[in-house]
Amino acid sequence: MKLSEILKGINVLSAAASDDTEITGVCYDSRRVKSGDLFVAVRGYESDGHKYIPMAVEKGCAAVLCEKAPAGNVPYVQTNDSRLGLALAARNFYGDPSREMKVIGITGTNGKTTTTILIKQILEKTIGAKVGLIGSISNMIGDEEFHAEHTTPESCDLQALFRQMADAGCTHCVMEVSSHSLVLRRVAGVHFAVGLFTNLTQDHLDFHNTMEEYAKAKAMLFPMCEKTAANADDPWTETVMKDAPQPVYTFSAKSDSASLTARDIRLAPSGVRFCALEEGELVRVKTNLPGQFSVYNALAAISCARLLGVSLADAAAALETAHGAKGRVEPVPTDGDYSIFIDYAVTPDAIENVLTTLRGIAPKRLVMLFGAGGDRDRKKRPIMGKLSADIADFVIVTSDNPRTEDPMSIIEEILPGVRAGKAPYKVICDRPEAIRWAIDHHEPSDVILLCGKGHEDYQIIGHEKIHMDEREIVADYLAERAKRT
């Protein structure tokens, strides 16, 4: 592909490269540059890609796209925003694949992962679609599953994945769109058939600083969408959706004024039941996913399906056999009359939701085991501690992806909240040891929640991922206990 074709839509300030230069790939990582590539020098938070232009040239890149003109005789194109340039160059190189499918983008603090999975299943069951999925647990092309490094891949990787999906016959792609990816322009140039907003609660304030900036980041998705849907019950919806195409299809579990309303909600350990009302049409909805938040996830999935032309009755019927996401209120086998659940909740709102759900099925004690991620929003740590100690009957504070922080320092920032709550607590920094302690000290009929890891099968210590799957920890320890008895 000619350089001139790659540069379509990119603001070119100056150039010292021929428009006829043949480009065989687009790359932003100098370690992965191949001969003939366009190397895009991106200014990152930890490193500046401009420093690696000599390495890219040495490895045979055909041209460089950058914000600062490089020294020497280097064929380059200068732009004002190389992150945006990377996204548009990748879109052009891969032939704008998002326009060959209906792409559904879901943003919000909580519910994104489960909602994407529900939408995928609805579309597969109702219209026989082949659906790609991009999310925090994994990426999928139909039934084929791939590892996901980020909730939303870097723009070049994202466009390559779109191309794979389109070439494999995917008619739809449903994806989680993180606030980071919006600010960092990873989804720039993507054509979204539908954009959906779930909710906004405190998270990522280490990156966005304020809730207002966080909401502003989420709002960046919706001008890129043909149609939009949003949670009418969330106080941030008006702010987030102010530039969205109108009308916005809204869903609610509280108000009859929304486009789609849940009535007669019934919560049970086995799942939720409610009636979905849309313009006078009433259908019964059953899911095997427990908790009030599952009502919202189901409403969000139905809303998206409706915007894609699926009937209300068909969408509701598809949800009856739909399954949720790994690590979301996931039961783990035990050796006695107590229960263990694994959940990913890492925000105050998500913790309150999952604890409230399990509170409703815990016949006696609800035991909460959790920590907080290092190098992330520190303001939420005591809030999470207070919620845990107010709702649970016993709290175990431990480590969770400490990254470059000292694990005990993180725990010390959680404890003021725990101490302000009602429940007794214990600190065990080593997470596997904490899980084993919780098992050894359980009481009959206890419900134990292992919170924060969810689908993750690792612990991040420093910059290294160390294998740690809580399912394996529980299973191995129960086997060890059985040998001792």
Side-chain angles (χ1 to χ4, degrees):
M1 182 178 282
K2 302 294 185 186
L3 180 60
S4 58
E5 297 175 274
I6 295 280
L7 296 176
K8 285 180 181 177
I10 296 173
N11 182 27
V12 175
L13 301 179
S14 65
S18 170
D19 283 348
D20 292 330
T21 301
E22 193 67 30
I23 301 297
T24 56
V26 178
C27 187
Y28 61 93
D29 184 341
S30 59
R31 296 166 297 184
R32 293 161 52 186
V33 168
K34 298 186 295 295
S35 179
D37 280 354
L38 172 69
F39 174 67
V40 185
V42 176
R43 296 185 191 274
Y45 285 87
E46 295 182 0
S47 183
D48 185 349
H50 290 76
K51 293 193 303 184
Y52 302 101
I53 290 175
M55 181 189 296
V57 171
E58 186 179 328
K59 295 183 78 170
C61 75
V64 172
L65 180 63
C66 51
E67 294 177 13
K68 180 182 176 183
N73 188 25
V74 175
Y76 75 89
V77 176
Q78 185 183 11
T79 186
N80 62 314
D81 185 342
S82 57
R83 281 194 176 277
L84 177 58
L86 174 64
L88 299 182
R91 177 199 65 184
N92 296 338
F93 179 77
Y94 287 106
D96 203 359
S98 68
R99 288 192 176 272
E100 298 176 30
M101 305 176 286
K102 290 187 181 296
V103 179
I104 303 108
I106 301 173
T107 198
T109 307
N110 300 312
K112 296 189 299 295
T113 301
T114 297
T115 302
T116 56
I117 290 172
L118 293 180
I119 292 170
K120 184 176 191 291
Q121 292 173 85
I122 289 174
L123 294 175
E124 290 169 341
K125 292 172 183 176
T126 58
I127 62 174
K130 184 170 184 178
V131 184
L133 182 145
I134 299 172
S136 55
I137 294 180
S138 65
N139 300 325
M140 299 182 72
I141 299 177
D143 295 329
E144 195 174 358
E145 193 166 358
F146 307 88
H147 173 71
E149 190 66 33
H150 301 288
T151 299
T152 311
E154 184 54 79
S155 58
C156 193
D157 304 320
L158 176 64
Q159 293 291 341
L161 186 53
F162 281 153
R163 175 43 59 201
Q164 280 184 271
M165 289 178 176
D167 289 350
C170 288
T171 56
H172 296 72
C173 171
V174 57
M175 64 179 294
E176 298 181 47
V177 182
S178 68
S179 56
H180 290 70
S181 72
L182 288 159
V183 172
L184 299 176
R185 313 308 296 270
R186 291 178 188 166
V187 294
V190 176
H191 179 74
F192 290 96
V194 177
L196 189 147
F197 171 63
T198 60
N199 52 64
L200 197 78
T201 61
Q202 184 173 333
D203 199 16
H204 303 306
L205 296 191
D206 56 311
F207 183 80
H208 299 292
N209 296 315
T210 67
M211 286 296 292
E212 287 73 19
E213 288 300 312
Y214 186 25
K216 185 178 177 181
K218 294 292 188 186
M220 293 172 68
L221 170 64
F222 298 99
M224 304 166 64
C225 305
E226 286 183 23
K227 299 178 181 179
T228 56
N231 178 0
D233 297 339
D234 191 273
W236 288 97
T237 291
E238 185 176 352
T239 300
V240 172
M241 305 301 292
K242 66 182 179 63
D243 295 324
Q246 300 297 318
V248 175
Y249 186 100
T250 56
F251 56 91
S252 171
K254 299 176 181 177
S255 170
D256 287 341
S257 61
S259 310
L260 179 69
T261 302
R263 287 184 172 181
D264 191 24
I265 299 170
R266 301 183 184 186
L267 308 178
S270 59
V272 300
R273 308 284 184 270
F274 63 90
C275 292
L277 176 66
E278 180 198 51
E279 294 183 352
E281 183 181 2
L282 192 70
V283 301
R284 296 189 181 278
V285 179
K286 302 177 184 178
T287 83
N288 57 11
L289 309 175
Q292 179 72 19
F293 58 90
S294 294
V295 176
Y296 282 100
N297 291 341
L299 286 171
I302 293 171
S303 297
C304 182
R306 293 293 295 121
L307 292 176
L308 291 168
V310 177
S311 73
L312 183 61
D314 285 349
L319 283 176
E320 285 198 37
T321 56
H323 60 80
K326 180 181 179 182
R328 269 61 174 179
V329 200
E330 178 187 343
V332 178
T334 68
D335 60 352
D337 60 346
Y338 65 102
S339 304
I340 297 177
F341 291 87
I342 290 174
D343 195 82
Y344 183 64
V346 291
T347 68
D349 185 65
I351 282 175
E352 183 175 15
N353 283 338
V354 69
L355 283 174
T356 302
T357 294
L358 294 179
R359 175 82 280 165
I361 66 173
K364 294 186 179 178
R365 287 201 320 166
L366 174 58
V367 178
M368 168 68 155
L369 181 150
F370 83 109
D375 301 334
R376 297 294 186 267
D377 182 6
R378 296 172 60 183
K379 298 174 186 174
K380 68 181 181 181
R381 293 172 183 174
I383 301 171
M384 291 160 62
K386 177 72 161 56
L387 283 168
S388 299
D390 277 344
I391 301 173
D393 298 299
F394 193 90
V395 175
I396 302 169
V397 187
T398 186
S399 180
D400 181 351
N401 290 341
R403 298 183 177 88
T404 64
E405 288 192 65
D406 174 51
M408 277 307 302
S409 297
I410 297 172
I411 289 171
E412 289 298 330
E413 292 188 357
I414 295 171
L415 288 178
V418 175
R419 294 182 182 121
K422 303 172 183 177
Y425 69 92
K426 186 172 182 65
V427 173
I428 304 176
C429 188
D430 181 85
R431 193 169 181 111
E433 181 186 340
I435 293 170
R436 292 189 287 266
W437 190 93
I439 293 171
D440 281 342
H441 292 82
H442 81 269
E443 296 178 6
S445 301
D446 271 359
V447 171
I448 301 171
L449 173 63
L450 310 181
C451 197
K453 300 303 293 178
H455 59 280
E456 294 179 352
D457 59 1
Y458 55 82
Q459 184 84 306
I460 305 176
I461 300 174
H463 295 287
E464 185 180 358
K465 280 186 179 180
I466 298 170
H467 181 77
M468 192 199 76
D469 189 324
E470 294 187 327
R471 299 155 195 79
E472 294 175 5
I473 292 170
V474 171
D476 291 348
Y477 191 55
L478 294 182
E480 181 186 320
R481 279 175 26 124
K483 289 179 182 177
R484 295 201 303 257
T485 55

